[in-house]
């Protein structure tokens, strides 16, 4: 390959001869300064490329389509049935955003020849956003916990049980399904753009979508803009090392340009001819297709292993609780291991710092606090008992939060693709007013206005904690958040009030709903941010999905409870029992002994660690300071 004719060519004679140590040092300093300048220029270039990538993706017409919304709703209804079924059985639900993205991709791939606009990654983001919003409503509207407790577990002396017709169930669901979604929008700027929290499931979903769409037109854009690598560089979700990014940038820019070799002298680097460039482009296309097929095979294998484990653990529940420390410790102290591939994947994405903090929390909670509480008589019952055991005692004493910031560039979608502040404010006021009206219509004077407003304020404040926890650990502690609200209402509503238990349950349900919606919205926004989807399109997709999910989940709940006995052999509603036990505990017996003292001490300690982590930003020791949220999840 010959150098460009216009390039300035220099031979070795053109370089000043080094005749002294001083000259050599001077030239070394000049080269170092030049290298640092190159790195800075490369970093600015990377920021510009990432911003162009975001703008290009957000402008695509596929960001919000009717077909995408309809497919997302259809997938979400299936997830809703599944989540209601397993939620009534185990209390566990899943947003299933990755399966939704896979199903959406498979559907549009099948009909690709019959549609005009191609199915792109940003449209897949819309599909999984809508599907997730519909699918999580059984938990968000309380149909796997609070409603069974109200409908079947309330005692007559507690003015129960409360039997609500389908119309009131739907109104209740619609009333509490919006305010959390709206409130999540202003949080996006802080936790995704500025602090760049990981949101492991959202990041993993973005990677899956990127792999699935690797052979389309968007793959060319991804290759030109380094695809998710640009997103990773700017968001610090997968690759946090700047030096690695700089190395990649220097290698990619070394095919053409000029290497500085002093203050004024430089040597030209030959560039490719057109023929060679075409050959390399074809070769890159071929390599990319092969790489895409390999990733699909790896993805299929990973899902296969996870599916086999999940199916096996259903028939062999012991797989969830492997007694690695021996049967006595497993039985008496619940010291077991859950080798779920899902947890392994979350740990890989979260990184060693957060997972080590979670391990520290598990050791503190179950290796120290649990035996201590039992031996001191603070929680004298069985360890796994929610009322008198150390499990319930720990839940009452381990709520903390922390704040962490990053210094990487702040890049976002174009302003026209963001939800305007005035829209957010207006919708927040409307959603709160509608929530108050719906609860008042459904339950009448049983729940006073001040209790509704207080529960909404707590829901908004605690949803911030839930969003941060989900961003750092991939776990949204909605159950713990609802229990905190129940504790607060135990102080506000007198235990002598005949409706105290009912009010306590409803207040906790509102907090849980707000935290769940905000966390779910933020996971989806993280996926969209990494792939350049329009946040505005995602927001309206989430609102549509939440509305449909509220209606569908109420119908599915009515269907299951009319066919099966609740509680019964099929649906034992364990979460309903947790709710009712907690409400009775806090309204009748108060907090477990010594619980509030430990909660206060833990809060003060982790307030100090938060200050240290902020102070040590960028220092080598910062990662070794435990974060409150990660430790709390581990506990």
């Amino acid at each position: 390959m010959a150098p460009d004719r216009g390039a300035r060519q220099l031979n070795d004679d053109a370089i000043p001869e080094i005749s002294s140590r001083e000259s050599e040092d001077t030239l070394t300093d000049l080269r170092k300064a030049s290298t640092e300048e190159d790195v800075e220029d490369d970093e600015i270039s990377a920021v510009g490329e990432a911003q162009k990538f975001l703008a290009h993706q957000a402008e695509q017409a596929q960001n919000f389509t009717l077909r995408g919304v309809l497919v997302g709703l259809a997938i979400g209804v299936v997830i809703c049935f599944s989540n209601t079924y397993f939620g009534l059985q185990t209390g566990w639900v899943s947003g299933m955003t990755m399966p939704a993205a896979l199903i959406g991709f498979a559907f549009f791939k099948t009909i690709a020849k019959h549609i005009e606009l191609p199915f792109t990654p940003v449209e897949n983001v819309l599909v999984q956003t809508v599907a997730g919003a519909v699918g999580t409503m059984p938990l968000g509207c309380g149909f796997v916990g609070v409603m069974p407790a109200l409908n079947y577990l309330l005692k007559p002396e507690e003015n129960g049980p409360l039997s609500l017709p389908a119309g009131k169930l739907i109104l209740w669901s619609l009333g509490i399904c919006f305010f959390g979604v709206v409130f999540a929008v202003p949080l996006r700027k802080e936790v995704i753009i500025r602090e760049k929290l990981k949101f492991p499931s959202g990041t993993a979903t973005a990677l899956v979508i990127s792999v699935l769409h690797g052979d389309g037109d968007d793959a060319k854009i991804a290759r030109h803009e380094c695809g998710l690598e640009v997103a990773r560089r700017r968001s610090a979700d997968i690759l946090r090392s700047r030096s690695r990014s700089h190395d990649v940038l220097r290698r990619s820019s070394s095919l053409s340009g000029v290497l500085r070799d002093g203050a004024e002298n430089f040597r030209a680097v030959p560039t490719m001819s057109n023929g060679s460039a075409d050959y390399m482009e074809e070769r890159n296309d071929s390599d990319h297709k092969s790489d895409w097929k390999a990733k699909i095979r790896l993805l299929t294998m990973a899902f296969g292993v996870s599916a086999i484990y999940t199916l096996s653990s259903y028939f062999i529940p012991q797989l969830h609780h492997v007694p690695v420390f021996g049967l006595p410790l497993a039985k008496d102290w619940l010291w077991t291991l859950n080798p779920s591939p899902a947890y392994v994947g979350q740990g890989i994405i979260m990184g060693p710092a957060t997972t080590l903090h979670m391990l520290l929390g598990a050791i503190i909670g179950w290796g120290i606090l649990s035996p201590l509480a039992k031996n001191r008589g603070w929680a004298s019952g069985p360890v796994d008992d929610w009322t008198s055991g150390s499990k319930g005692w720990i839940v009452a004493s381990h709520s903390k939060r922390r704040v962490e910031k990053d210094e990487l560039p702040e890049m976002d979608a174009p302003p026209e693709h963001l939800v305007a502040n005035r829209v957010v404010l207006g919708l927040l006021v409307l959603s709160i007013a509608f929530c108050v009206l719906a609860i008042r219509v459904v339950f009448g004077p049983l729940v006073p206005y001040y209790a509704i407003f207080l529960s909404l304020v707590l829901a908004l404040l605690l949803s911030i904690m839930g969003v941060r926890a989900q961003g750092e650990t991939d776990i949204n502690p909605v159950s713990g958040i609802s229990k905190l609200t129940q504790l607060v209402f135990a102080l506000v509503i007198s235990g002598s009030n005949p409706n105290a238990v009912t009010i306590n349950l409803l207040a906790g349900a509102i907090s849980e709903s707000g935290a769940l919606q905000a966390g779910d919205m933020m996971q989806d926004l993280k996926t969209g941010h990494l792939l350049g989807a329009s946040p505005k399109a995602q927001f309206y997709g989430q609102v549509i999905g939440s509305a449909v999910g509220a209606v569908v989940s109420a119908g599915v709940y009515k269907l299951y409870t009319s066919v099966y006995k609740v509680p019964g052999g099929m649906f034992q509603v364990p979460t309903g029992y947790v709710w009712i036990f907690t409400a009775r505990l806090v309204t009748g017996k108060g907090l477990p002994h010594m619980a509030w003292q430990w909660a206060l001490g833990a809060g003060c300690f982790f307030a100090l660690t938060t200050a240290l982590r902020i102070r040590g930003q960028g220092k080598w020791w910062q990662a070794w300071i435990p974060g409150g949220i990660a430790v709390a999840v581990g506990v």
Side-chain angles (χ1 to χ4, degrees):
M1 294 181 290
D4 291 344
R5 293 183 180 180
R8 182 177 173 184
Q9 301 182 39
L10 300 174
N11 53 34
D12 292 339
D13 295 335
I15 301 177
E17 188 175 326
I18 303 299
S19 58
S20 66
R21 179 69 178 175
E22 182 180 355
S23 299
E24 185 175 348
D25 291 342
T26 301
L27 188 56
T28 300
D29 292 340
L30 288 171
R31 285 172 175 165
K32 182 178 179 180
S34 177
T35 301
E36 292 176 353
E37 192 176 316
D38 285 343
V39 169
E40 186 176 350
D41 290 343
D42 288 339
E43 187 171 310
I44 294 173
S45 176
V47 172
E49 288 181 356
Q51 198 66 56
K52 290 178 182 178
F53 173 79
L54 289 172
H56 180 277
Q57 296 293 88
E59 291 293 338
Q60 289 187 21
Q62 291 95 321
N63 270 284
F64 192 87
T65 61
L66 177 61
R67 68 187 190 187
V69 171
L70 293 177
V71 171
L73 291 176
I75 298 172
V77 169
V78 176
I79 297 175
C80 183
F81 270 88
S82 174
N83 276 338
T84 305
Y85 181 85
F86 287 107
L88 290 172
Q89 282 190 336
T90 66
W92 183 263
V93 304
S94 173
M96 301 179 70
T97 53
M98 278 190 282
L102 284 168
I103 296 171
F105 177 81
F107 173 78
F108 280 103
K109 194 76 171 178
T110 304
I111 64 170
K113 296 181 179 179
H114 307 287
I115 55 178
E116 295 182 5
L117 288 175
F119 184 61
T120 62
V122 295
E123 190 171 12
N124 206 339
V125 169
L126 174 66
V127 169
Q128 63 89 27
T129 298
V130 175
V134 178
T136 55
M137 279 300 106
L139 177 60
C141 297
F143 291 122
V144 301
V146 171
M147 278 301 151
L150 290 171
N151 297 159
Y152 302 103
L153 304 180
L154 272 181
K155 296 177 181 179
E157 57 267 27
E158 297 165 336
N159 287 337
L162 293 179
S163 180
L164 299 177
K168 286 193 173 182
L169 282 179
I170 292 175
L171 182 58
W172 153 262
S173 303
L174 290 172
I176 66 171
C177 75
F178 295 119
F179 68 90
V181 175
V182 179
F183 185 66
V185 175
L187 299 180
R188 175 183 176 274
K189 182 74 172 180
E190 178 64 26
V191 298
I192 292 181
I193 305 303
R194 290 177 182 163
E195 298 187 32
K196 303 173 177 67
L197 297 186
K198 294 180 178 70
F199 290 96
S201 287
T203 301
T205 303
L207 292 171
V208 168
I209 292 175
S210 177
V211 171
L212 291 174
H213 292 264
D215 63 345
D217 292 337
D218 285 287
K220 297 177 181 177
I221 299 171
R223 289 199 300 276
H224 177 68
E225 302 289 351
C226 302
L228 275 180
E229 294 301 319
V230 171
R232 292 173 186 170
R233 231 179 9 247
R234 59 177 162 76
S235 63
D237 290 303
I238 304 299
L239 302 177
R240 286 189 173 269
S241 172
R242 285 185 173 220
S243 60
R244 186 180 302 177
S245 298
H246 294 159
D247 291 341
V248 172
L249 288 167
R250 283 197 293 271
R251 285 198 297 270
S252 64
S253 63
S254 63
L255 293 175
S256 62
V258 174
L259 292 176
R260 294 183 180 89
D261 200 6
E264 296 179 354
N265 299 313
F266 58 88
R267 182 169 301 159
V269 177
T271 57
M272 292 184 181
S273 64
N274 291 336
S276 299
D278 292 340
Y279 168 75
M280 290 299 295
E281 180 66 22
E282 293 177 2
R283 180 176 171 181
N284 287 338
D285 288 342
S286 177
D287 291 343
H288 179 76
K289 290 179 180 179
S290 300
D291 184 55
W292 182 81
K293 292 179 180 179
K295 289 179 179 178
I296 289 294
R297 286 195 297 269
L298 181 61
L299 188 65
T300 304
M301 290 175 58
F303 272 104
V305 171
S306 181
I308 292 173
Y309 173 84
T310 302
L311 184 63
S312 301
S313 62
Y314 179 79
F315 294 102
I316 311 174
Q318 291 78 9
L319 291 177
H320 283 304
H321 307 282
V322 180
V324 291
F325 299 105
L327 289 175
L329 291 176
K331 181 180 179 181
D332 297 336
W333 297 104
L334 307 183
W335 290 2
T336 60
L337 173 69
N338 184 352
S340 170
Y343 291 149
V344 174
Q346 289 173 355
I348 292 172
I349 295 173
M350 285 187 288
T354 300
T355 49
L356 284 175
H357 296 163
M358 293 173 66
L359 176 61
L360 175 63
I363 294 172
I364 293 174
W366 298 95
I368 299 176
L369 294 182
S370 178
L372 182 65
K374 188 172 180 64
N375 292 332
R376 291 292 183 91
W378 304 337
S380 57
V383 172
D384 61 346
D385 192 286
W386 283 95
T387 57
S388 61
S390 56
K391 178 182 285 188
W393 188 90
I394 289 173
V395 165
S397 62
H398 82 284
S399 301
K400 286 84 65 179
R401 58 172 296 183
R402 75 175 180 86
V403 178
E404 179 181 350
K405 295 187 180 293
D406 238 326
E407 297 180 357
L408 296 180
E410 297 178 8
M411 281 159 289
D412 204 351
E416 62 270 20
H417 292 285
L418 301 176
V419 184
N421 291 333
R422 64 178 183 278
V423 175
V424 173
L425 181 60
L427 290 177
L428 185 61
V429 172
L430 288 176
S431 62
I432 290 176
F434 180 56
C435 179
V436 174
L437 177 63
I439 294 175
R440 192 68 179 180
V441 170
V442 173
F443 296 100
L446 187 149
V447 184
Y449 281 110
Y450 74 87
I452 301 175
F453 281 110
L454 177 60
S455 63
L456 284 168
V457 171
L458 290 174
L460 296 179
L461 293 176
L462 293 175
S463 65
I464 299 175
M465 182 178 73
V467 165
R468 299 193 62 82
Q470 192 156 16
E472 295 176 7
T473 68
D474 205 39
I475 298 174
N476 191 345
V478 292
S479 179
I481 286 172
S482 62
K483 302 304 176 281
L484 280 176
T485 302
Q486 288 183 277
L487 290 175
V488 172
F489 266 77
L491 302 176
V492 175
I493 304 296
S494 172
S496 60
N497 188 326
N499 298 318
V501 173
T502 301
I503 296 173
N504 194 277
L505 290 172
L506 293 175
I510 292 171
S511 289
E512 182 179 62
S513 179
L516 177 73
Q517 296 161 25
D520 182 52
M521 179 83 258
M522 210 59 64
Q523 287 277 26
D524 294 333
L525 288 173
K526 181 67 174 183
T527 302
H529 180 61
L530 292 175
L531 294 172
S534 168
K536 183 188 293 185
Q538 284 189 267
F539 170 71
Y540 289 117
Q542 183 88 8
V543 170
I544 294 172
S546 296
V548 174
V551 177
V552 172
S553 60
V556 174
Y557 173 76
K558 266 297 184 181
L559 174 64
Y560 280 142
T561 54
S562 63
V563 174
Y564 298 97
K565 182 182 178 182
V566 177
M570 176 67 73
F571 298 133
Q572 298 183 12
V573 291
T575 307
Y577 280 103
V578 172
W579 275 96
I580 197 71
F581 287 160
T582 304
R584 288 170 182 165
L585 173 67
V586 299
T587 57
K589 300 179 182 178
L591 287 173
H593 184 55
M594 292 297 294
W596 75 266
Q597 291 93 332
W598 279 93
L600 179 61
C604 293
F605 174 76
F606 284 103
L608 292 176
T609 62
T610 297
L612 281 175
R613 289 179 65 85
I614 295 175
R615 180 81 173 176
Q617 186 66 43
K619 305 284 180 55
W620 65 270
W621 49 266
Q622 192 252 8
W624 295 96
I625 304 298
I629 289 296
V631 174
V633 171
V635 172

